[in-house]
Amino acid sequence: MSLPTPLINRTRAEAVMAEFGVSALVLADSTNIYQATGFWPQTLVMGHLGSSVAVVPADRSKPVTLITAQFLHYFFDLDDVPPGSPLQILLYTAPDQDGENAMPPTFFRSAQDGAVDSYERATRATTEAQLAAHPAFPSATLALGAVLADLDGAIATDGEVATALLGTGEIYRSASPLLRRIRMIKSTHEIALMRIAAQQNCEAATVAIRSVGPGDRYVDLQNAFFAETGRRGGRPVFMSTDYSSYRQRKGVITEGRAFSIDAVASYAGYHGDYGRTIIVGQPDPALLRAVDAAVLCNETVSAALAPGLRFSDIMRIGREAIAKAGHDIATPSSPHSVGLFHTDEGFKNDGAYFVKDDPLIEENMVLSIDCPMLQTDMGGSVHLEDLWLVTATGCEPLNDTSNPYYRL
């Protein structure tokens, strides 16, 4: 058993919270708790809202706090927290009859004359050790109050559940724009997970592509991708194929028609994003020219991608490259940040809904550069997309880039 550990980039979080004048984030959404603590709260996904909550102080010298029910700590086999850990765990049970003290902890009862279950005893021992260091609170609200008692400044919450848990009736600022800003710069833990997610997503898509041929349906390809993702321990999100109009009206892999895919799956909550063109039989010459343009665009922008540029610079570089080569084809050549979501970047003016911003590219961003060719009447569709980790001096691919397109 390994202790959950914060995945969030604390250095980045401290800077963003300082900019917004926030002393702590109080998070009750399952994805936010997972990023903050490394603990995936299954009960929240089941609908038990408020059963766990995380607190991320702006001061990165203070630990992130996971507040969860004592029985959940025991049931989900969480470790005790060693001194100096970047995470502390506070448990609650329920209030006693007077409502002032916590009820005793709850464990499974032992069967009469049964054999001792050593695994159950291990998780019970870690829970008991946790309670010995930090006695249980009567409620999550009281535990939350204890954590925030010595913090000065505004609190940012991720929704009405976190605000209700605070229980003061005050209005808190939204944590959403802060979290989107923080997520764009990945921590070491997040980069490690992104490497696995990107490569597994690419592998699952590649195996799926090579499993089909003329006469098979796009849904067969999608199902193969989903199955291959599951075999690798990931979770499928979607595989988009060709133009929607062809997919919905026929959706059959056809000799002489090329089609594009956009494959997205997650691993441990972090996403891969992989786009390719699949050429079936002899393609139309116009389509081959579009494939050449996509490859040129992708190669040019990956060679240029580095800290100091903006998203708009990458778009311009890609478009100028294909125009200079004589291709009269439109393409977005557009970056987007990928991580806990397919698109996890900040919105323009830190708004509540998506409007594309033009952020500065920084080290430890993970970016996709979308290079679909927005052209029709060429016997199919063309797309090319990889995931890139921005380094101090440039970028590196997180998935295999050796096949810019496939032939069936």
Side-chain angles (χ1 to χ4, degrees), residues 250-281:
K250 188 174 182 181
V252 175
I253 298 173
T254 304
E255 187 83 20
R257 180 182 178 87
F259 64 95
S260 59
I261 61 115
D262 193 348
V264 176
S266 69
Y267 172 81
Y270 286 81
H271 289 70
D273 196 359
Y274 183 71
R276 285 299 185 270
T277 302
I278 295 87
I279 299 172
V280 188

Side-chain angles (χ1 to χ4, degrees), residues 36-75:
T37 68
F39 170 63
W40 187 71
Q42 179 179 316
T43 52
L44 296 188
V45 180
M46 295 164 59
H48 301 179
L49 303 182
S51 55
S52 297
V53 62
V55 180
V56 181
D59 182 355
R60 68 179 185 273
S61 69
K62 298 179 181 293
V64 173
T65 300
L66 170 65
I67 298 169
T68 192
Q70 170 269 315
F71 185 77
L72 297 183
H73 184 282
Y74 160 68
F75 186 77

Side-chain angles (χ1 to χ4, degrees), residues 6 19 28 45 49 57 61 86 131 201 283 290 331 341 354 380 405:
E19 180 181 345
V45 180
L49 303 182
S61 69
L131 291 170
N201 184 63
T331 182
F341 299 90
F354 179 76
Y405 58 88

Side-chain angles (χ1 to χ4, degrees), residues 80-83 88-91 125-137:
D80 188 21
V81 179
Q88 72 170 346
I89 301 177
L90 299 182
L91 305 179
T126 58
T127 302
E128 289 173 337
Q130 175 65 41
L131 291 170
H134 301 283
F137 289 84

Side-chain angles (χ1 to χ4, degrees), residues 101-179:
N101 300 303
M103 292 288 286
T106 300
F107 301 105
F108 289 131
R109 294 182 179 181
S110 298
Q112 290 185 355
D113 302 322
V116 171
D117 187 326
S118 60
Y119 298 100
E120 183 276 340
R121 292 299 189 277
T123 185
R124 183 184 299 193
T126 58
T127 302
E128 289 173 337
Q130 175 65 41
L131 291 170
H134 301 283
F137 289 84
S139 68
T141 294
L142 289 173
L144 190 54
V147 174
L148 298 176
D150 62 345
L151 296 180
D152 295 322
I155 303 298
T157 70
D158 63 355
E160 60 182 12
V161 174
T163 301
L165 283 169
L166 287 163
T168 63
E170 296 179 20
I171 297 176
Y172 301 89
R173 76 165 303 142
S174 172
S176 295
L178 286 79
L179 290 169

Side-chain angles (χ1 to χ4, degrees), residues 209-274:
I209 290 165
R210 289 173 173 160
S211 73
V212 296
D216 291 322
R217 302 168 301 161
Y218 288 159
V219 70
D220 298 323
L221 173 60
Q222 180 190 66
N223 289 340
F225 170 65
F226 285 7
E228 292 298 330
T229 296
R231 288 190 184 99
R232 289 161 174 77
R235 291 187 178 184
V237 179
F238 65 82
M239 175 182 268
S240 181
T241 51
D242 209 342
Y243 300 129
S244 295
S245 56
Y246 182 80
R247 181 172 69 244
Q248 293 174 183
R249 286 170 171 78
K250 188 174 182 181
V252 175
I253 298 173
T254 304
E255 187 83 20
R257 180 182 178 87
F259 64 95
S260 59
I261 61 115
D262 193 348
V264 176
S266 69
Y267 172 81
Y270 286 81
H271 289 70
D273 196 359
Y274 183 71

